[in-house]
Amino acid sequence: MKSLLSRTLLIAIGGLINVAAFSQKNEVPKGWHLLDQKKDGYYGISIDKAYEFVKSKNIKSSPVIVAVIDSGVDTLHEDLKSILWKNPKEIPGNGIDDDNNGYVDDIYGWNFLGGRDGRNVEKDSYEAARVYHRLKSKWEEKDAASGTLSVDDTKEYKMWLKAKFDVVGDINPFEVIQVKRMYKELKLGDSIIRKDLSKEEYNCKDLSSYTPLSDQAKKVKTILSSICKGNDNDDISNQMILDELEADINKFEAVDRAPKDYRNEIVKDNYNDINDRFYGNSNVMVSKNAALHGTHVSGIIGAIRNNGIGMDGVADNVRIMTVRAVPDGDEHDKDIALAIRYATDNGAKVINMSFGKGFSPEKKWVDDAVKYAGSKGVLLVHAAGNSHQNLDSTENYPSVVFEDGKRAPNWITVGASGDPKAGGLTASFSNYGKKEVDVFAPGVKIYSTVPGGNTYQNLQGTSMASPVVAGLAAFIFQYYPKLSPEQVKTVIEKSAQNPGVKVKDPGTGEEVDLSDISKTGGVINAYEAIKLASTLKPEGVKTTKPVKSKVTEKVKQ
């Protein structure tokens, strides 16, 4: 998902350092997203009441595997290491594919962004640039309005035109100049601060007691402090800001230059062959920076509850399976399709997908994987995105809608809610849609695990809202394991609670009812969900015909 620093960063670039409009004067407590509105005064999901309910029913839970398709995870984190999924059929570190599934030493999961030589993809390009340059020679000089194109060519041409507009048509020359100038100045001041602090990466907490002597260092401190204030997050670091600026510069340069092929230079598979699937490596953390997003997401789902340290996850009997397929940039369809299949084949009941992009050139592969997961009784939970756009009229992939127009029944799309004490009941950044966003869930100032062994911080985004829902789905499956994914989806949607007051449309800022910008018009509620689940007669997993796919089921020997 696109970084939420962009808005305040742009203001800083323009020289308007006062970003008070984005700061929140009121505070919410750590873990507010788990609280109950009536009892605690915060619009959380009432998880304690849900646990009280199952306790009163004397129901025992069964462990549930939740796959997190993301950027990686810190496997040594104090609040996660004991609840991480471990492949019971694999012997760690022996270099042998003990379970004969084609993935050697896949102890915690698999890294589809790795090379056999141990290298790993961290940064990558954006799909719009990849599509634009890959198809440019084919369509740049063609007249596609003649009506002689095949159905497939017409579809491809329209995708290329959209990519061309994204890459070429939305570039502000003034912004390009400003970003490049800011990047150069920040790099200079940043090098001074790194030397003064004897730290390669620092955040606003580190700068609070630092007195810069040079003008360049003063400017960096002012800008970074302003961005932290604007996002109400003192953990934003110098590296995050520089990475954001570098990504923007790469976007600008994509107009004239094809993006670097980061992935294929390292992974070295045949990307065009979906059957070439035994690539990657077993390193699911890679680095502290790479694993930030996935570690935070994992903690929201299942960080150890009631252990007196850090924070509590939503579900108390889960095993987090890590499938690394999301770089700093746009994910690739093949990696996502195979990640879904890997998670399904290794026992995941819920798959969290906190990522998204505007183009999906190999969508058929992902569609097939989603259908395959559905045939095996797996529920997929997807973040709506952070561009405050209406998904009823904007493309966002992966998508619940298949190429044939049918919809995946085992899929939930999640928008981000907040609290009046933290900016409002709807997050200003959240995507929305009366047809395409099923529910809202807390996604503002969510305190969770981050890499470092015993480290935690607030992050926000629909990336944080999605695992709240995935955690709730796992919680329901823990106590009612015979329910089908379609039943659990229905439970979560029907039990969602309308706040009873008007909320802000993230796109227009107008006061609307939550039902105007989401399918259910509600924020998820664990207590109401588990009560409803207790009344259902299990359907179990529906038997379906084998999903036809280009992916062969032969395991590599």
Side-chain angles (χ1 to χ4, degrees), residues 386-400:
N386 303 325
S387 303
H388 50 87
Q389 292 180 320
N390 188 342
L391 294 188
D392 293 351
S393 56
T394 304
E395 293 174 329
N396 183 48
Y397 300 102
S399 171
V400 65

Side-chain angles (χ1 to χ4, degrees), residues 32-37 42-46 419 442 523-525:
W32 74 268
H33 62 287
L34 303 176
L35 301 180
D36 178 75
Q37 196 272 325
Y42 297 94
Y43 285 80
I45 67 169
S46 305
D419 188 271
V523 177
I524 67 163
N525 187 285

Side-chain angles (χ1 to χ4, degrees), residues 5-23:
L5 304 180
S6 297
R7 185 181 299 180
T8 44
L9 184 55
L10 250 172
I11 289 177
I13 289 170
L16 304 176
I17 299 303
N18 182 6
V19 289
F22 298 103
S23 64

Side-chain angles (χ1 to χ4, degrees), residues 503-540:
V503 301
K504 281 191 177 181
D505 181 318
T508 66
E510 297 176 356
E511 295 286 327
V512 297
D513 192 272
L514 193 55
S515 61
D516 294 325
I517 57 173
S518 65
K519 180 181 173 183
T520 63
V523 177
I524 67 163
N525 187 285
Y527 174 60
E528 296 297 335
I530 200 68
K531 283 199 304 179
L532 179 57
S534 71
T535 68
L536 297 184
K537 182 179 179 181
E539 291 177 354

Side-chain angles (χ1 to χ4, degrees), residues 1-3 124-132 167 243-244 247-248 250-251 254 259 262 328-331 357 359:
M1 291 294 172
K2 183 173 175 57
S3 168
D124 209 332
S125 55
Y126 291 88
E127 194 71 83
R130 300 196 290 253
V131 169
Y132 171 65
V167 172
D243 286 348
E244 179 88 358
D248 284 340
N250 288 339
K251 280 188 174 183
Y262 294 94
D328 180 9
D330 281 344
E331 63 278 1
K357 57 183 180 176
F359 297 84

